[in-house]
Amino acid sequence: MIWGEKMPVVQITLVQGRDNEVIETCIKNVARTVSESLNAPIESVRVIVNEVPANRFAVGTKLKSER
């Protein structure tokens, strides 16, 4: 088996501010969904959450920190 062939990696980028419990639940749900959808062993699924400050995330020219 080629490395990565059956090792899905999912990266999620979020603006900081959510509770740890919410993020952990998301990670577990995403891992289960990817495992089932791709028929990959759950132990092979990697989920990475990157949290960024609101002033480092924009939609168009509007920063998330701008209310």
Side-chain angles (χ1 to χ4, degrees), residues 2-66:
I2 298 170
W3 187 90
E5 181 181 341
K6 295 236 179 205
M7 293 186 232
V9 178
V10 178
Q11 293 191 48
I12 302 169
T13 302
L14 299 171
V15 175
Q16 289 175 334
R18 290 177 175 82
D19 291 335
N20 283 333
E21 183 178 297
V22 171
I23 295 172
E24 290 167 5
T25 298
C26 176
I27 290 169
K28 291 175 183 180
N29 288 338
V30 168
R32 282 190 211 100
T33 299
V34 169
S35 172
E36 293 169 8
S37 299
L38 298 179
N39 197 28
I42 191 74
E43 301 82 18
S44 72
V45 179
R46 278 55 170 161
V47 180
I48 302 163
V49 174
N50 299 297
E51 291 185 273
V52 296
N55 66 344
R56 297 290 184 262
F57 189 98
V59 177
T61 60
K62 183 163 177 107
L63 295 170
K64 287 297 271 184
S65 60
E66 297 174 341

